[in-house]
Amino acid sequence: MGAGVEIMEHLLNVIIGIFVGMIGTLIGAGGGFILIPYLILVAKFSPQTAAGTSLFMVFFNALSGSIAYIRQKRVDFRTAFYFALATIPGAILGAYLNSFLHSRLFNVLFALLLLFLAVRTFFHKTNNDKKEIQEKKIPGQETREIIDAEGNKYEYSFNLWLGIGISLGVGVISSLLGIGGGIVHVPLMGFLGFPMHIATATSHFILVITSLIGVISHIAYGHVVFPKAIAYAIGAIIGAQIGARISAKISGSTIKKGLAIALALVAVRLLTL
């Protein structure tokens, strides 16, 4: 009886991981923003163990999803390298600061961040006009041209130094809140000028590095509940492949609006606790 219940619990956690991995990969966010509220509200985890356990799942989700996005040729590797490098010191600092968070403060900080990003993401329009891109000559401004596996061409311009600065902050938020950083990185990359499909794929690739550093730090602090974390990770690996396939079939605008709605729903729930 006890063994049967335990097996059912592990299966449920794998199913949760599949759902979280699918949605997280679809919007390039890793899925931590979904798992964190579940762990706190339903599983009654502390903010610290919720962050560490979630980030463990996020790493495997990001790894699986990145493999799919690399095959689709939608990852901006050059930019990902710079942004990922900037997130590393922030991820280490965030794991340390997490130890000082209290439940209510954690919920409010997380919710306010998500609400802000939800509004900005829903109403923000990325301008990728080729002529305007070519006219931008300010320091740090870079242009990219990517052709994916299906022949879709993406041309965009962004400020590299501003992106690096943002990524440093994303690293802190990522490890501090256990959300992987993608839920913050994707909308911010959209504001910088990245097409949504490139932003989600590149953000997911960055997550592999960021979440790994964060997970190592959280393990050192004893914040990872391994039995549940492993089950979530197994599900997330499967879900990530599904999410990447769906992403290839829908528009960037649809992904952006779905991201904004998901952000708002989670934020409102956390603020009503």
Side-chain angles (χ1 to χ4, degrees), residues 105-126:
L105 177 60
F106 180 89
N107 292 346
V108 171
L109 287 175
F110 193 9
L112 291 177
L113 172 66
L114 296 183
L115 276 177
F116 170 74
L117 291 173
V119 174
R120 288 296 304 272
T121 300
F122 192 87
F123 292 104
H124 182 263
K125 293 183 178 179
T126 302

Side-chain angles (χ1 to χ4, degrees), residues 10 15 35 53 114 131 135 167 188 240 249-250 253:
H10 286 315
I15 292 171
L35 189 59
T53 302
L114 296 183
K131 182 178 180 181
E135 290 174 353
S167 296
L188 290 177
K249 300 180 183 301
I250 62 178
S253 176

